[in-house]
């Protein structure tokens, strides 16, 4: 699952890079994009980067960036879908949202990664 960072419908370049990196982990599997307060145009753009499903998390409080609300919404989606890996771009926003997600779910958080070794399939800690 990739958490998509956007500003009122414009996907950040860093999120496009995160989707590209996540594609290396799917090995032909399912890649989901999670979009807080997104639009249909965002869904189409994510599909072009290999996401087979885009989950739009919609609520009035999610339309503008609100890290605690975005974190709670993503954490609920993660708890429901139980993806193997959850990624976001390594920006201040991405790190802040993922910090909230990790705290809510009581899971580890790794930030500022420069590469991913997809040969290691044991993602447990």
């Amino acid at each position: 699952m990739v958490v998509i960072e956007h500003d009122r419908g414009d996907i950040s370049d860093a999120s496009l890079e995160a989707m590209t990196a996540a594609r290396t982990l799917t090995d032909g599997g399912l890649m989901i994009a999670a979009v807080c307060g997104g639009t249909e145009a965002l869904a189409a753009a994510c599909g072009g980067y290999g996401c087979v499903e885009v989950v739009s998390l919609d609520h009035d409080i999610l339309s503008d960036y609100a890290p605690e609300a975005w974190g709670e919404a993503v954490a609920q989606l993660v708890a429901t879908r139980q993806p193997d890996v959850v990624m976001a771009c390594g920006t201040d926003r991405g790190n802040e949202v993922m910090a909230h997600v990790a705290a809510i779910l009581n899971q580890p958080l790794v930030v500022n990664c420069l590469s991913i070794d997809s040969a290691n399939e044991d993602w447990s800690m």
Side-chain angles (χ1 to χ4, degrees):
M1 179 181 297
V2 180
V3 179
I4 304 302
E5 183 179 306
H6 69 95
D7 184 14
R8 296 185 180 143
D10 292 328
I11 296 178
S12 71
D13 289 342
S15 285
L16 300 177
E17 293 171 7
M19 285 187 282
T20 299
R23 232 182 10 239
T24 66
L25 301 176
T26 63
D27 195 29
L30 179 70
M31 186 168 67
I32 300 170
V35 180
C36 293
T39 65
E40 288 185 29
L42 280 172
C46 292
Y49 277 81
C51 291
V52 297
E53 182 179 359
V54 179
V55 178
S56 182
L57 305 167
D58 291 317
H59 189 278
D60 290 342
I61 198 169
L62 299 175
S63 60
D64 288 319
Y65 177 64
E68 289 180 37
W70 281 33
E72 180 62 39
V74 172
Q76 288 179 21
L77 181 61
V78 169
T80 301
R81 294 294 182 96
Q82 299 183 344
D84 292 328
V85 177
V86 181
M87 295 177 65
C89 51
T91 62
D92 290 342
R93 264 190 191 190
N95 291 342
E96 187 174 26
V97 170
M98 293 306 292
H100 284 286
V101 172
I104 291 166
L105 298 175
N106 195 30
Q107 292 294 317
L109 173 66
V110 177
V111 297
N112 299 328
C113 296
L114 298 177
S115 65
I116 301 168
D117 181 2
S118 61
N120 181 2
E121 294 181 16
D122 181 13
W123 296 99
S124 60
M125 297 297 284

